Amino acid sequence: METIDHDALVAMLDRLKLTAIRDQLDTLLDEAARSDMTLREALGFLVSREIARRDERRIEMATKLAQFPFVRELEGFEWAAQPSVDQRQIRELATCRWIAHGDALLFLGPPGTGKTHLAVSLGRAAIRHNYSVQFVTAATLVATLAKAHGDGRLDEQLTIYARPKLLIIDELGYLPFEPDAAHLFFQLVSRRYERGSMMVTSNRSVVEWGTVFGDPVVATAILDRLLHHCSVITIRGDSYRLREKRRAGLLQKAGTAHEQQAENVNQ
Ligand code: ADP
Ligand code: MG
């Protein structure tokens, strides 16, 4: 076999778009040589590096496209602060089997209780599992559909929102919808029904959705489809933000009590 010099090797890796191997060629080959790998092991080692880089890039790109409002992970969720959330159930949801089945997921609860935090964390888990994800607030979603409707592009816009495997609709019910909203939302839910998963967060219980949509009949039709294969997670309890503030207050008091005790000991 003819000897292959460094540049020729780089050119071949380039042609095959094996860019991770190309960029770290010497380091990787040194490492393979140093650890006495067999040829099979060395090949596996090189290819796994290439795959790892591609996964990283894919996740980065998909995360940008998803348009999350912030970065949150389940690891950062303080379970003890929200006892009404079943950690095991959320961890099961993070395996994304429900997305494979095209099921829906609903987070209900008052403001500040971690609905968006959990939604974003599960959305990021979905991306790691190779699902396409789009995050949008209910207000933006409806405004976008209404505008598209006005411009005669509703079908096109519905297709866009139907494309991601998981569509996360945040903050349903914070703002009252315009009269057309119920129908537009219904069309979206119908379009996605049994095709892709939807995750919805809302501060209003489902019995109030008639009021949210301003049309109880359409709200029932929306819920009928959404709840068909759906996990509903109802979070009860206090706002995490307020809790933090309150706890800060408590800690101050505890500090004072501690100081008092210390003073008593000193006396
Ligand atoms: P919601 O969407 O229910 O209004 P968020 O998810 O936006 O609430 O939570 C408000 C803030 O508090 C966010 O920054 C979130 O990360 C944080 N948060 C809420 N609940 C928890 C929790 N149990 N552990 C850690 N952070 C939390
Ligand atoms: Mg929120």
Side-chain angles (χ1 to χ4, degrees):
M1 192 179 153
E2 60 184 289
T3 51
I4 298 168
D5 70 10
H6 180 84
D7 290 350
L9 194 50
V10 165
M12 285 195 284
L13 291 167
D14 208 36
R15 192 166 152 200
L16 291 173
K17 297 193 170 60
L18 297 170
T19 53
I21 302 177
R22 180 200 63 195
D23 293 348
Q24 307 168 53
L25 187 59
D26 288 339
T27 324
L28 293 177
L29 289 180
D30 283 351
E31 198 172 331
R34 231 180 312 131
S35 22
D36 277 335
M37 291 184 193
T38 62
L39 282 179
R40 184 187 295 273
E41 283 165 348
L43 185 59
F45 168 66
L46 292 174
V47 171
S48 69
R49 286 303 178 88
E50 187 64 45
I51 290 175
R53 160 90 75 95
R54 285 198 196 179
D55 281 346
E56 240 169 63
R57 290 264 163 92
R58 179 187 60 75
I59 288 171
E60 208 176 288
M61 184 67 78
T63 305
K64 260 191 211 143
L65 287 173
Q67 297 183 298
F68 296 117
F70 48 47
V71 178
R72 291 291 186 283
E73 297 287 357
L74 289 185
E75 285 67 38
F77 196 79
E78 206 190 315
W79 304 98
Q82 216 54 265
S84 65
V85 176
D86 179 356
Q87 180 176 172
R88 265 204 321 216
Q89 184 184 13
I90 304 290
R91 294 218 178 273
E92 168 60 29
L93 291 165
T95 66
C96 300
R97 266 192 284 273
W98 64 285
I99 301 174
H101 297 147
D103 295 351
L105 177 59
L106 213 53
F107 281 107
L108 305 175
T113 50
K115 299 183 298 298
T116 305
H117 184 133
L118 292 171
V120 169
S121 308
L122 292 176
R124 290 169 64 88
I127 288 175
R128 286 193 289 272
H129 281 81
N130 217 353
Y131 292 115
S132 52
V133 177
Q134 168 84 61
F135 182 105
V136 66
T137 63
T140 302
L141 175 95
V142 165
T144 309
L145 289 177
K147 171 132 196 346
H149 187 42
D151 297 346
R153 291 185 300 103
L154 180 59
D155 200 60
E156 206 178 299
Q157 191 59 52
L158 285 169
T159 306
I160 293 172
Y161 280 134
R163 211 172 285 149
K165 184 68 184 162
L166 171 63
L167 182 67
I168 304 176
I169 302 172
D170 197 33
E171 300 189 342
L172 187 88
Y174 276 83
L175 296 168
F177 282 138
E178 43 211 284
D180 241 7
H183 278 102
L184 294 170
F185 202 87
F186 174 74
Q187 288 190 60
L188 174 74
V189 173
S190 303
R191 184 71 71 103
R192 290 190 60 89
Y193 185 56
E194 291 191 334
R195 259 185 254 172
S197 287
M198 289 178 63
M199 190 194 310
V200 179
T201 82
S202 179
N203 60 333
R204 311 282 287 268
S205 71
V206 289
V207 292
E208 293 174 288
W209 282 26
T211 322
V212 170
F213 283 104
D215 186 332
V217 177
V218 183
T220 306
I222 290 168
L223 281 168
D224 187 53
R225 279 160 179 74
L226 213 53
L227 296 178
H228 188 201
H229 298 287
C230 185
S231 304
V232 181
I233 294 172
T234 305
I235 310 182
R236 286 178 201 84
D238 297 335
S239 158
Y240 187 80
R241 290 193 205 93
L242 295 181
R243 180 181 176 278
E244 290 290 281
K245 286 208 181 104
R246 256 197 308 274
R247 193 151 65 168
L250 271 179
L251 282 176
Q252 269 167 20
K253 271 185 220 145
T256 319
H258 188 74
E259 277 159 26
Q260 192 73 52
Q261 224 172 29
E263 267 175 26
N264 289 342
V265 171
N266 285 339
Q267 276 172 2

